Amino acid sequence: MTEITAAMLVGSLRTGSINQRLARAIARYAPDTLRFRWIEMQDMPFYNGDLEVDRPAAVRAFVAAMQEVEAACIVTPEYNRSIPALLKNAIDWGSKPAAENVWRDRVIAMTGASPGGIGTAVGQQHLRQILAIQSATVLPGETYISFKTPDMIAEDGEIADPEVRAFIAGFAARFAALALRMR
């Protein structure tokens, strides 16, 4: 069986985050061909070109981890109709220097959860634009979750509603299939 190793990048640090729950659900219901490596982003300082001479250890660790995976699943909240600074900062660090851009040719799946009716649709459109500039291959379509009830996804990623579970499993299966095709 051919396996894909994918980064799991979650743009929320909040305790009890619905996006953390969604990420765990994706990992739980993904096909056996998809293995996730959870990569932390919170220890990196804000991008500053002056630090390129001697990159901080957290930046070197993030870039090294991204270089070891074949694909990435980004699960992000939407802040002010965009993506969180945490995620944008990781994209900025990973894109430098241009010759070593960790996003180039990387297969990316994106999703996010919000209590609002349109989920994270606008933030994902912004993320799609940012990743296109980085020459990433983004899974087509939109996958956002309107988190209407507090228990929709349990802390461990368990989903009781069979329709929501099938939707999440389908997203993960499409991601795995695209990553395998692009390999």
Side-chain angles (χ1 to χ4, degrees), residues 6-158:
M8 180 64 81
L9 303 172
V10 183
S12 176
L13 298 174
R14 189 176 64 79
T15 301
S17 162
I18 58 178
N19 284 282
Q20 291 281 351
R21 290 185 197 189
L22 175 56
R24 286 190 285 275
I26 292 165
R28 176 185 281 263
Y29 297 108
D32 291 341
T33 57
L34 196 53
R35 297 281 178 238
F36 287 102
R37 179 170 178 194
W38 296 71
I39 299 178
E40 302 296 327
M41 300 178 283
Q42 70 269 16
D43 294 332
M44 294 185 285
F46 283 113
Y47 180 78
N48 177 344
D50 293 343
L51 299 177
E52 285 291 351
V53 175
D54 185 20
R55 287 181 147 203
V59 172
R60 290 192 309 272
F62 173 79
V63 169
M66 286 301 299
Q67 289 170 335
E68 293 174 2
V69 298
E70 300 174 78
C73 181
I74 299 175
V75 182
T76 184
E78 181 176 296
Y79 294 168
N80 297 314
R81 300 293 189 236
S82 189
I83 61 174
L86 171 75
L87 180 55
K88 179 63 166 72
N89 190 51
I91 293 169
D92 290 344
W93 275 115
S95 69
K96 311 281 191 229
E100 298 171 26
N101 180 348
V102 301
W103 310 107
R104 181 179 299 115
D105 299 325
R106 180 97 46 220
V107 174
I108 308 286
M110 67 175 73
T111 188
S114 164
I118 61 169
T120 57
V122 180
Q124 285 186 53
Q125 286 303 312
H126 191 200
L127 179 56
R128 188 176 299 279
Q129 178 185 21
I130 294 166
L131 292 171
I133 293 166
Q134 301 306 322
S135 298
T137 300
V138 180
L139 181 69
E142 294 182 341
T143 305
Y144 44 86
I145 304 295
S146 181
F147 213 97
K148 296 204 182 277
T149 61
D151 60 347
M152 185 173 141
I153 300 174
E155 285 292 329
D156 66 356
E158 178 70 30

